[in-house]
Short mmCIF file of all heavy atoms in Angstrom, two decimals:
data_model
loop_
_atom_site.label_atom_id
_atom_site.label_comp_id
_atom_site.label_asym_id
_atom_site.label_seq_id
_atom_site.Cartn_x
_atom_site.Cartn_y
_atom_site.Cartn_z
N LEU A 782 69.25 89.37 112.55
CA LEU A 782 70.20 88.95 111.53
C LEU A 782 70.13 89.84 110.30
O LEU A 782 71.16 90.19 109.70
CB LEU A 782 69.91 87.49 111.13
CG LEU A 782 70.21 86.42 112.18
CD1 LEU A 782 69.78 85.05 111.68
CD2 LEU A 782 71.69 86.43 112.54
N VAL A 783 68.91 90.23 109.92
CA VAL A 783 68.76 91.11 108.76
C VAL A 783 69.41 92.46 109.02
O VAL A 783 70.11 93.02 108.17
CB VAL A 783 67.26 91.27 108.42
CG1 VAL A 783 67.06 92.37 107.39
CG2 VAL A 783 66.70 89.96 107.90
N GLU A 784 69.18 93.00 110.22
CA GLU A 784 69.78 94.29 110.54
C GLU A 784 71.30 94.24 110.54
O GLU A 784 71.98 95.14 110.05
CB GLU A 784 69.26 94.76 111.91
CG GLU A 784 67.78 95.11 111.92
CD GLU A 784 67.33 95.51 113.31
OE1 GLU A 784 68.18 95.50 114.23
OE2 GLU A 784 66.14 95.82 113.47
N GLN A 785 71.86 93.15 111.09
CA GLN A 785 73.32 93.02 111.10
C GLN A 785 73.87 92.90 109.69
O GLN A 785 74.89 93.50 109.35
CB GLN A 785 73.73 91.80 111.92
CG GLN A 785 73.47 91.95 113.41
CD GLN A 785 73.89 90.71 114.18
OE1 GLN A 785 74.40 89.76 113.61
NE2 GLN A 785 73.67 90.73 115.49
N PHE A 786 73.18 92.11 108.84
CA PHE A 786 73.65 91.96 107.47
C PHE A 786 73.57 93.29 106.72
O PHE A 786 74.49 93.65 105.96
CB PHE A 786 72.82 90.90 106.74
CG PHE A 786 73.27 90.64 105.34
CD1 PHE A 786 74.31 89.77 105.09
CD2 PHE A 786 72.65 91.27 104.27
CE1 PHE A 786 74.75 89.52 103.79
CE2 PHE A 786 73.07 91.04 102.99
CZ PHE A 786 74.13 90.16 102.74
N VAL A 787 72.50 94.03 106.91
CA VAL A 787 72.36 95.33 106.25
C VAL A 787 73.45 96.28 106.70
O VAL A 787 74.05 97.00 105.90
CB VAL A 787 70.95 95.91 106.52
CG1 VAL A 787 70.88 97.36 106.05
CG2 VAL A 787 69.89 95.07 105.84
N THR A 788 73.73 96.28 108.02
CA THR A 788 74.77 97.17 108.54
C THR A 788 76.14 96.83 107.96
O THR A 788 76.88 97.71 107.50
CB THR A 788 74.82 97.08 110.06
OG1 THR A 788 73.52 97.42 110.59
CG2 THR A 788 75.85 98.05 110.62
N LEU A 789 76.47 95.53 107.96
CA LEU A 789 77.78 95.12 107.43
C LEU A 789 77.90 95.40 105.94
O LEU A 789 78.93 95.87 105.46
CB LEU A 789 78.01 93.63 107.72
CG LEU A 789 78.19 93.26 109.19
CD1 LEU A 789 78.31 91.74 109.33
CD2 LEU A 789 79.43 93.94 109.77
N SER A 790 76.84 95.08 105.18
CA SER A 790 76.90 95.30 103.74
C SER A 790 76.97 96.78 103.41
O SER A 790 77.68 97.19 102.48
CB SER A 790 75.69 94.67 103.05
OG SER A 790 74.49 95.25 103.54
N SER A 791 76.26 97.60 104.18
CA SER A 791 76.31 99.05 103.93
C SER A 791 77.70 99.60 104.22
O SER A 791 78.22 100.44 103.48
CB SER A 791 75.26 99.77 104.78
OG SER A 791 73.97 99.31 104.47
N GLN A 792 78.31 99.12 105.30
CA GLN A 792 79.66 99.58 105.62
C GLN A 792 80.68 99.14 104.57
O GLN A 792 81.54 99.91 104.17
CB GLN A 792 80.07 99.05 107.00
CG GLN A 792 79.30 99.66 108.16
CD GLN A 792 79.70 99.04 109.49
OE1 GLN A 792 80.47 98.08 109.53
NE2 GLN A 792 79.15 99.58 110.57
N PHE A 793 80.54 97.89 104.10
CA PHE A 793 81.53 97.37 103.15
C PHE A 793 81.36 98.02 101.77
O PHE A 793 82.29 98.61 101.23
CB PHE A 793 81.38 95.85 103.03
CG PHE A 793 82.32 95.25 102.03
CD1 PHE A 793 83.65 95.06 102.33
CD2 PHE A 793 81.86 94.88 100.77
CE1 PHE A 793 84.53 94.51 101.42
CE2 PHE A 793 82.72 94.32 99.85
CZ PHE A 793 84.05 94.14 100.17
N PHE A 794 80.14 97.91 101.21
CA PHE A 794 79.94 98.42 99.87
C PHE A 794 79.85 99.95 99.84
O PHE A 794 80.14 100.57 98.83
CB PHE A 794 78.67 97.83 99.26
CG PHE A 794 78.78 96.35 98.98
CD1 PHE A 794 78.15 95.43 99.79
CD2 PHE A 794 79.54 95.90 97.91
CE1 PHE A 794 78.26 94.08 99.54
CE2 PHE A 794 79.66 94.54 97.65
CZ PHE A 794 79.01 93.64 98.47
N GLY A 795 79.44 100.56 100.96
CA GLY A 795 79.40 102.01 100.99
C GLY A 795 80.77 102.63 100.93
O GLY A 795 80.96 103.72 100.39
N ASN A 796 81.78 101.94 101.46
CA ASN A 796 83.15 102.45 101.41
C ASN A 796 83.96 101.88 100.25
O ASN A 796 85.16 102.10 100.16
CB ASN A 796 83.88 102.09 102.72
CG ASN A 796 83.23 102.75 103.92
OD1 ASN A 796 82.70 103.85 103.81
ND2 ASN A 796 83.26 102.08 105.06
N PHE A 797 83.28 101.17 99.35
CA PHE A 797 84.00 100.51 98.25
C PHE A 797 84.67 101.54 97.35
O PHE A 797 85.87 101.48 97.10
CB PHE A 797 83.00 99.66 97.45
CG PHE A 797 83.63 98.91 96.33
CD1 PHE A 797 84.29 97.72 96.57
CD2 PHE A 797 83.54 99.38 95.04
CE1 PHE A 797 84.86 97.01 95.53
CE2 PHE A 797 84.11 98.69 94.00
CZ PHE A 797 84.76 97.50 94.24
N PHE A 798 83.89 102.49 96.88
CA PHE A 798 84.45 103.47 95.95
C PHE A 798 85.38 104.45 96.65
O PHE A 798 86.38 104.88 96.09
CB PHE A 798 83.32 104.22 95.23
CG PHE A 798 82.51 103.35 94.33
CD1 PHE A 798 81.24 102.93 94.71
CD2 PHE A 798 83.00 102.93 93.11
CE1 PHE A 798 80.49 102.13 93.88
CE2 PHE A 798 82.26 102.11 92.27
CZ PHE A 798 80.99 101.72 92.66
N SER A 799 85.07 104.80 97.88
CA SER A 799 85.96 105.71 98.61
C SER A 799 87.30 105.05 98.88
O SER A 799 88.35 105.71 98.86
CB SER A 799 85.30 106.13 99.93
OG SER A 799 85.07 105.00 100.75
N PHE A 800 87.30 103.71 99.08
CA PHE A 800 88.56 103.00 99.32
C PHE A 800 89.42 103.04 98.06
O PHE A 800 90.60 103.37 98.10
CB PHE A 800 88.28 101.56 99.72
CG PHE A 800 89.52 100.70 99.76
CD1 PHE A 800 90.39 100.78 100.83
CD2 PHE A 800 89.80 99.82 98.74
CE1 PHE A 800 91.54 100.00 100.87
CE2 PHE A 800 90.93 99.02 98.77
CZ PHE A 800 91.80 99.11 99.84
N PHE A 801 88.83 102.71 96.91
CA PHE A 801 89.60 102.65 95.69
C PHE A 801 89.98 104.04 95.18
O PHE A 801 90.90 104.17 94.37
CB PHE A 801 88.84 101.90 94.60
CG PHE A 801 88.92 100.41 94.76
CD1 PHE A 801 87.93 99.71 95.41
CD2 PHE A 801 90.01 99.71 94.29
CE1 PHE A 801 88.02 98.34 95.56
CE2 PHE A 801 90.11 98.33 94.43
CZ PHE A 801 89.10 97.65 95.07
N SER A 802 89.28 105.07 95.62
CA SER A 802 89.64 106.41 95.17
C SER A 802 90.55 107.13 96.15
O SER A 802 91.26 108.05 95.77
CB SER A 802 88.37 107.25 94.96
OG SER A 802 87.66 107.36 96.19
N GLY A 803 90.57 106.71 97.40
CA GLY A 803 91.35 107.43 98.39
C GLY A 803 92.51 106.67 98.98
O GLY A 803 93.31 107.25 99.71
N SER A 804 92.63 105.40 98.70
CA SER A 804 93.71 104.63 99.27
C SER A 804 95.00 104.90 98.51
O SER A 804 95.08 104.69 97.30
CB SER A 804 93.37 103.14 99.22
OG SER A 804 94.47 102.38 99.67
N VAL A 805 96.01 105.37 99.22
CA VAL A 805 97.29 105.68 98.59
C VAL A 805 97.96 104.41 98.10
O VAL A 805 98.54 104.38 97.00
CB VAL A 805 98.20 106.42 99.59
CG1 VAL A 805 99.57 106.69 98.97
CG2 VAL A 805 97.56 107.72 100.04
N ILE A 806 97.85 103.33 98.88
CA ILE A 806 98.49 102.08 98.48
C ILE A 806 97.88 101.53 97.20
O ILE A 806 98.58 101.09 96.29
CB ILE A 806 98.38 101.05 99.62
CG1 ILE A 806 99.13 101.55 100.86
CG2 ILE A 806 98.92 99.70 99.18
CD1 ILE A 806 99.03 100.62 102.04
N THR A 807 96.56 101.60 97.12
CA THR A 807 95.89 101.09 95.92
C THR A 807 96.26 101.92 94.70
O THR A 807 96.50 101.38 93.61
CB THR A 807 94.37 101.09 96.13
OG1 THR A 807 94.06 100.32 97.28
CG2 THR A 807 93.67 100.51 94.92
N LEU A 808 96.31 103.24 94.86
CA LEU A 808 96.68 104.10 93.74
C LEU A 808 98.12 103.82 93.29
O LEU A 808 98.41 103.80 92.09
CB LEU A 808 96.52 105.57 94.13
CG LEU A 808 95.08 106.07 94.31
CD1 LEU A 808 95.08 107.52 94.75
CD2 LEU A 808 94.30 105.91 93.02
N LEU A 809 99.01 103.59 94.25
CA LEU A 809 100.39 103.27 93.89
C LEU A 809 100.47 101.92 93.17
O LEU A 809 101.26 101.76 92.23
CB LEU A 809 101.26 103.26 95.15
CG LEU A 809 101.52 104.62 95.81
CD1 LEU A 809 102.35 104.45 97.08
CD2 LEU A 809 102.24 105.57 94.84
N GLN A 810 99.66 100.96 93.61
CA GLN A 810 99.66 99.67 92.93
C GLN A 810 99.13 99.79 91.50
O GLN A 810 99.67 99.17 90.57
CB GLN A 810 98.81 98.68 93.73
CG GLN A 810 99.45 98.24 95.04
CD GLN A 810 98.56 97.30 95.82
OE1 GLN A 810 97.37 97.18 95.55
NE2 GLN A 810 99.14 96.64 96.82
N LEU A 811 98.07 100.56 91.31
CA LEU A 811 97.55 100.78 89.96
C LEU A 811 98.57 101.50 89.08
O LEU A 811 98.74 101.16 87.90
CB LEU A 811 96.25 101.58 90.02
CG LEU A 811 95.05 100.87 90.64
CD1 LEU A 811 93.86 101.81 90.71
CD2 LEU A 811 94.68 99.62 89.85
N LEU A 812 99.26 102.48 89.67
CA LEU A 812 100.28 103.19 88.91
C LEU A 812 101.42 102.25 88.53
O LEU A 812 101.91 102.27 87.39
CB LEU A 812 100.81 104.36 89.73
CG LEU A 812 101.92 105.21 89.08
CD1 LEU A 812 101.41 105.84 87.78
CD2 LEU A 812 102.40 106.29 90.04
N LEU A 813 101.84 101.40 89.47
CA LEU A 813 102.89 100.43 89.18
C LEU A 813 102.43 99.44 88.12
O LEU A 813 103.23 99.04 87.24
CB LEU A 813 103.27 99.69 90.46
CG LEU A 813 104.37 98.62 90.33
CD1 LEU A 813 105.66 99.25 89.82
CD2 LEU A 813 104.61 97.93 91.67
N LEU A 814 101.16 99.04 88.16
CA LEU A 814 100.63 98.13 87.15
C LEU A 814 100.70 98.76 85.76
O LEU A 814 101.10 98.10 84.79
CB LEU A 814 99.19 97.78 87.51
CG LEU A 814 98.44 96.86 86.54
CD1 LEU A 814 99.11 95.49 86.46
CD2 LEU A 814 96.98 96.73 86.94
N VAL A 815 100.34 100.03 85.66
CA VAL A 815 100.39 100.73 84.36
C VAL A 815 101.83 100.85 83.87
O VAL A 815 102.12 100.59 82.69
CB VAL A 815 99.72 102.11 84.48
CG1 VAL A 815 99.91 102.90 83.19
CG2 VAL A 815 98.24 101.96 84.78
N VAL A 816 102.73 101.23 84.77
CA VAL A 816 104.13 101.41 84.38
C VAL A 816 104.74 100.08 83.92
O VAL A 816 105.43 100.02 82.89
CB VAL A 816 104.93 102.01 85.55
CG1 VAL A 816 106.43 102.01 85.24
CG2 VAL A 816 104.47 103.43 85.83
N LEU A 817 104.50 99.01 84.66
CA LEU A 817 105.03 97.70 84.28
C LEU A 817 104.46 97.24 82.94
O LEU A 817 105.18 96.67 82.11
CB LEU A 817 104.71 96.67 85.36
CG LEU A 817 105.51 96.78 86.66
CD1 LEU A 817 105.00 95.76 87.68
CD2 LEU A 817 106.99 96.57 86.42
N THR A 818 103.17 97.48 82.73
CA THR A 818 102.56 97.09 81.45
C THR A 818 103.21 97.82 80.28
O THR A 818 103.51 97.21 79.24
CB THR A 818 101.05 97.38 81.48
OG1 THR A 818 100.45 96.69 82.58
CG2 THR A 818 100.40 96.95 80.19
N ILE A 819 103.45 99.12 80.44
CA ILE A 819 104.10 99.89 79.37
C ILE A 819 105.53 99.40 79.14
O ILE A 819 105.99 99.28 77.99
CB ILE A 819 104.08 101.39 79.72
CG1 ILE A 819 102.64 101.91 79.78
CG2 ILE A 819 104.89 102.19 78.71
CD1 ILE A 819 102.51 103.33 80.24
N MET A 820 106.24 99.10 80.21
CA MET A 820 107.61 98.59 80.07
C MET A 820 107.65 97.26 79.34
O MET A 820 108.45 97.04 78.43
CB MET A 820 108.25 98.47 81.45
CG MET A 820 108.60 99.78 82.11
SD MET A 820 109.39 99.53 83.73
CE MET A 820 109.77 101.23 84.16
N PHE A 821 106.77 96.34 79.74
CA PHE A 821 106.73 95.04 79.07
C PHE A 821 106.34 95.18 77.61
O PHE A 821 106.85 94.46 76.74
CB PHE A 821 105.74 94.10 79.78
CG PHE A 821 106.17 93.69 81.15
CD1 PHE A 821 105.24 93.39 82.13
CD2 PHE A 821 107.52 93.58 81.46
CE1 PHE A 821 105.64 92.99 83.40
CE2 PHE A 821 107.93 93.19 82.73
CZ PHE A 821 106.99 92.90 83.70
N LEU A 822 105.42 96.11 77.32
CA LEU A 822 104.95 96.28 75.96
C LEU A 822 106.00 96.94 75.07
O LEU A 822 106.06 96.66 73.87
CB LEU A 822 103.66 97.12 75.96
CG LEU A 822 102.97 97.34 74.62
CD1 LEU A 822 102.52 96.01 74.03
CD2 LEU A 822 101.78 98.28 74.79
N SER A 823 106.83 97.81 75.64
CA SER A 823 107.82 98.54 74.84
C SER A 823 108.90 97.63 74.28
O SER A 823 109.33 97.80 73.13
CB SER A 823 108.45 99.65 75.68
OG SER A 823 109.12 99.09 76.80
N ASP A 824 109.37 96.66 75.06
CA ASP A 824 110.43 95.76 74.60
C ASP A 824 110.19 94.36 75.15
O ASP A 824 110.89 93.89 76.05
CB ASP A 824 111.80 96.29 75.04
CG ASP A 824 112.95 95.59 74.35
OD1 ASP A 824 112.69 94.75 73.47
OD2 ASP A 824 114.11 95.85 74.70
N PRO A 825 109.20 93.64 74.63
CA PRO A 825 108.85 92.34 75.21
C PRO A 825 109.93 91.28 75.00
O PRO A 825 110.09 90.40 75.84
CB PRO A 825 107.55 91.97 74.49
CG PRO A 825 107.58 92.75 73.23
CD PRO A 825 108.31 94.01 73.53
N GLN A 826 110.66 91.36 73.90
CA GLN A 826 111.65 90.33 73.63
C GLN A 826 112.77 90.32 74.67
O GLN A 826 113.26 89.26 75.06
CB GLN A 826 112.25 90.54 72.23
CG GLN A 826 113.21 89.45 71.79
CD GLN A 826 112.55 88.09 71.74
OE1 GLN A 826 111.48 87.94 71.14
NE2 GLN A 826 113.15 87.08 72.35
N ALA A 827 113.15 91.50 75.14
CA ALA A 827 114.22 91.57 76.14
C ALA A 827 113.79 90.90 77.44
O ALA A 827 114.57 90.15 78.05
CB ALA A 827 114.60 93.03 76.40
N TYR A 828 112.56 91.14 77.87
CA TYR A 828 112.08 90.51 79.11
C TYR A 828 111.86 89.01 78.91
O TYR A 828 112.06 88.23 79.84
CB TYR A 828 110.78 91.19 79.56
CG TYR A 828 110.97 92.63 79.94
CD1 TYR A 828 110.63 93.65 79.06
CD2 TYR A 828 111.50 92.99 81.17
CE1 TYR A 828 110.81 94.98 79.39
CE2 TYR A 828 111.68 94.31 81.51
CZ TYR A 828 111.34 95.32 80.62
OH TYR A 828 111.53 96.63 80.95
N ARG A 829 111.47 88.63 77.72
CA ARG A 829 111.30 87.20 77.43
C ARG A 829 112.64 86.48 77.50
O ARG A 829 112.75 85.40 78.09
CB ARG A 829 110.65 87.03 76.06
CG ARG A 829 110.34 85.59 75.71
CD ARG A 829 109.81 85.52 74.29
NE ARG A 829 109.43 84.16 73.94
CZ ARG A 829 108.23 83.63 74.14
NH1 ARG A 829 107.29 84.35 74.70
NH2 ARG A 829 107.97 82.39 73.79
#
């Protein structure tokens, strides 16, 4: 059980940073988050 847990945790957390740095979908979502935040901040009354 210990070996299986170590293997699974190493695979999951070992690829954590590579996933967030190399995933195209995640990067696009972060970019969309930034763009939407700037849009909402520029003219909040219109969206309200």
Side-chain angles (χ1 to χ4, degrees):
L782 291 176
V783 170
E784 292 178 0
Q785 291 180 2
F786 182 83
V787 170
T788 303
L789 292 176
S790 60
S791 300
Q792 291 177 354
F793 178 77
F794 292 105
N796 297 328
F797 182 81
F798 294 104
S799 62
F800 171 77
F801 280 96
S802 61
S804 175
V805 177
I806 297 178
T807 304
L808 290 178
L809 290 177
Q810 289 178 344
L811 292 176
L812 179 61
L813 180 59
L814 178 63
V815 173
V816 172
L817 287 175
T818 303
I819 296 175
M820 288 181 176
F821 292 150
L822 184 62
S823 61
D824 192 5
Q826 185 61 50
Y828 296 100
R829 184 185 183 89

